[in-house]
Amino acid sequence: MNNSTPTSRRRFVTSAALLPMLSALPHWVQAGAAGIGADALSLWYDQPAGPWIEALPVGNGRLGTMVFGRPAQERLQFNIDTLHGGGPYVQDNPKFREALPQVRALIDQERWKEANELVSEALMGKPIKQMPFGAAGDLLLDFPGVKAAARYRRSLDLDSAIATTSFIDGSGRHRRETFCSVPDQVTVIRLEIEGDGTIDLDLGYRHPDYQPYGGFGDTKYDKDGVVFVGAPWDHRESLFAEKRPGSLAVRADGSDALLIEGRNVQAFGIPGQLRYALRVQAVGDGRIEASGDRLRVRGARQLTLLVSGETSYVNWQDTSGDPVAAVRQRTAAAARKPFTKLRDDHLKAHRALFRRLHIDLGGHEANARSTDARIKGVPRQPDAALAAMYVQYARYLLLSSSRPGSQPANLQGVWNEVLHPPWEGKYTININTEMNYWPAGPANLGECVEPLLKMVEDLAVTGARTARNSYGARGWVAHHNTDLWRATAPIDGPLWGMWPTGGAWLCTTLWQHYQYNPSPAVLRRLVPLFKGASLFFLDTLVEDPKGRGLVTSPSQSPENNHHTDIALCAGPAMDRQILRDLFDAAIAAQAQLGEDDPAFTAAVRKARTRLPADRIGAQGQLQEWLEDWDASATDQQHRHVSHLYAVYPSEQINVRDTPALAQAARKTLNTRGDESTGWATAWRLALWTRLGDGERAYKVLQGLLGPARTYPNMFDAHPPFQIDGNFGGAAAILEMIVQSWGGEVHLLAALPKAWPAGALHGVRAHGALTLDVDWKEGRLSRLQLRGPALAKVALRYRGQHLELRLNSQGRARVGAADFEHPEVEPKH
């Protein structure tokens, strides 16, 4: 079922009486009203958002706001990155350590049901769930004077990070801009009118409902996806339809501001221990009055609303902050600045990161169609420009949901409508959190990784407690999920949570970040993290009873069953692959920092050599487990392709060095199929790309861009919404053009025929290299490189290898002719 199209929707009817007004309005009004001038960096629509998955996101890492663009009653839905349920808690099961040897013995004896039962009773965390990422509620902006609307346009310009709504009614031309400022830490809503009319506004707050897989307003989720009814243009929702919690207070805060104070929810038996505050302050030329729980404006021609949100969260063990003081300070400081200064400072901060990369895949004629129409048209109407915008949209989402000082991007970035979202909206670290950061390096957004690094530093503390209490081990461990409170115990149940390698995968993700952005300061932070993660496995790896080496036990291949309702196993392929990368990174990081620990290095090297190698099964597939269980696994098209980690994001299996294993990976991918959930489709896309099959990758990409996996606002559809598919898909598109692995930069490695000409400027490669790549007729036409002065660079293009050195300014220029007489790739 296509869940991205409303079952009913009322379009605007242009009133003939309004048309003569057009000629008297400014040129930007006429162009916008006519629906022309849309460029490759704008999402745009000719109707307001009905459900949440049509609203447009703005954010600054800490704050997230969804803009619906409704003329008569605008809905602005807010999130604060630290507004999660519960409070500091310890989840480790006290029975874990005593039961662990028995669990391992049951696994060795393949007594699966007994092992499952014991893991469920003695190893799972208490509580068995982690804390949800909650919504901060809505501001509803009621415009009593707006009675009709024509020439409507709603857009999100990625280059400016501004969401704009414009329309005409009987009083003039309305223009509303919304952006979330990094410098001022406020969401800014600017309202203007051209014509004889004025802006009249009644503003109030609405608290979100508590509904697992549910929303309020006009969005209703279920476990299979999204079901909704679109809202008419003049849709008005009640401010007080829901029962407000007793802890919520909404009141005037001075003559021009409204203050909302509340508490977070309890969850799974953990009491809510956070306070939160939102403050909205109005600045304008009309009459502004805050009274009771409403903010009223009358007779304004220009009005700016400044909204700040904060919680009492200080860190994972401290909730003593003062959110009210913080929001008062931020809104008051922003109110002292002219709107033009707020806007200019926002643009400068945003563009400093966003404008680093340019991508052009052609197909610009499609930009004249609304974004929702373009998504509906895929794959019937190939849309190269939509693929390019998908990359830029993902970059926009990453820098809007993960900035230094914020929390990392979670399952939904920083945007969520309800108090208890699907999968709690937390950090799933058996793929999803790592996928969020796949594009950070190549897309030239290294700064956005800082929150992830800070979270891993926290996990090294809480994970050391779990390692010690549960395993009797040194170092630190994290399983398949974590949350705001940095919980590290296994959760959910033995079919999903008994996987000890989540922290190790986070480490290899950070090592990839370092490869793209080498920094001594970052390296100093990575070394203790890698060492601690490695020490845990040095202490917990066990001998395989069949003599095949050292294995993790208990573990699983996330989240796949090798027998009916059984995921538990020892030494799955993914664990072995991740540990090879972790051990290599731990050794390399220490060596680069000049802090080699000979005893530790020797132990790591020895353990690495004893990890079982990847295996090819009887079907010619890459084995997911040590045993050849793939053919009997209960789900041959399982969403996870965990054992292909070695292909991507790792590089252990590749077409250059391990062709037999690469062929086995292709066999596995063919069996799994191209269609899956949103993030899993993105992973399949990345894998086919890394295997050099541009045409197969392009086929998978069409499935990702179409309405089954992309919502009208371009959010990824699991379904429901998960942001990881946006990030994974963008990383894969970039890899179709430039790849960085095996000590080489691979050019046009998986370029599909559908993109015969294009440009990718500002893409990053390992070693702090930045590339500008242009191609025509499917062939490289120009390459410019920037990087460290005199750095050596190895390039590969169409099977040919070229080595060069950057000049003293760190520059080089390469043409296709330079590859005419290089070293030729050896045959395997």
Side-chain angles (χ1 to χ4, degrees), residues 392-407:
Q392 294 289 33
Y393 187 54
R395 297 181 69 247
Y396 166 85
L397 293 174
L398 185 58
L399 63 86
S400 298
S401 61
S402 185
R403 289 270 195 160
S406 80
Q407 294 298 306

Side-chain angles (χ1 to χ4, degrees), residues 192 229 397 400 667:
E192 298 178 356
V229 178
L397 293 174
S400 298
K667 173 66 176 177

Side-chain angles (χ1 to χ4, degrees), residues 79-94:
N79 291 103
I80 307 168
D81 67 338
T82 55
L83 185 51
H84 294 233
Y89 69 110
V90 177
Q91 196 177 21
D92 301 334
N93 192 321

Side-chain angles (χ1 to χ4, degrees), residues 516-530:
Y516 282 97
N517 301 277
S519 159
V522 169
L523 190 63
R524 282 190 291 272
R525 296 169 67 182
L526 294 182
V527 164
L529 300 178
F530 295 175

Side-chain angles (χ1 to χ4, degrees), residues 178-205:
T178 303
F179 58 87
C180 201
S181 169
V182 171
D184 291 290
Q185 288 297 302
V186 291
T187 296
V188 180
I189 304 102
R190 176 70 168 183
L191 310 171
E192 298 178 356
I193 189 169
E194 293 273 353
D196 296 331
T198 60
I199 299 168
D200 294 341
L201 167 65
D202 296 320
L203 182 150
Y205 171 80

Side-chain angles (χ1 to χ4, degrees), residues 46-68:
D46 58 9
Q47 55 205 345
W52 189 85
I53 52 171
E54 293 183 351
L56 296 172
V58 296
N60 65 3
R62 225 178 36 79
L63 300 175
T65 306
M66 296 294 283
V67 183
F68 285 70

Side-chain angles (χ1 to χ4, degrees), residues 93 95-96 99-100 103 118-125 489-490 498 554:
N93 192 321
K95 299 179 182 179
F96 193 119
L100 179 60
V103 169
L118 185 56
V119 167
S120 183
E121 189 251 329
L123 272 59
M124 287 294 107
M498 196 57 253

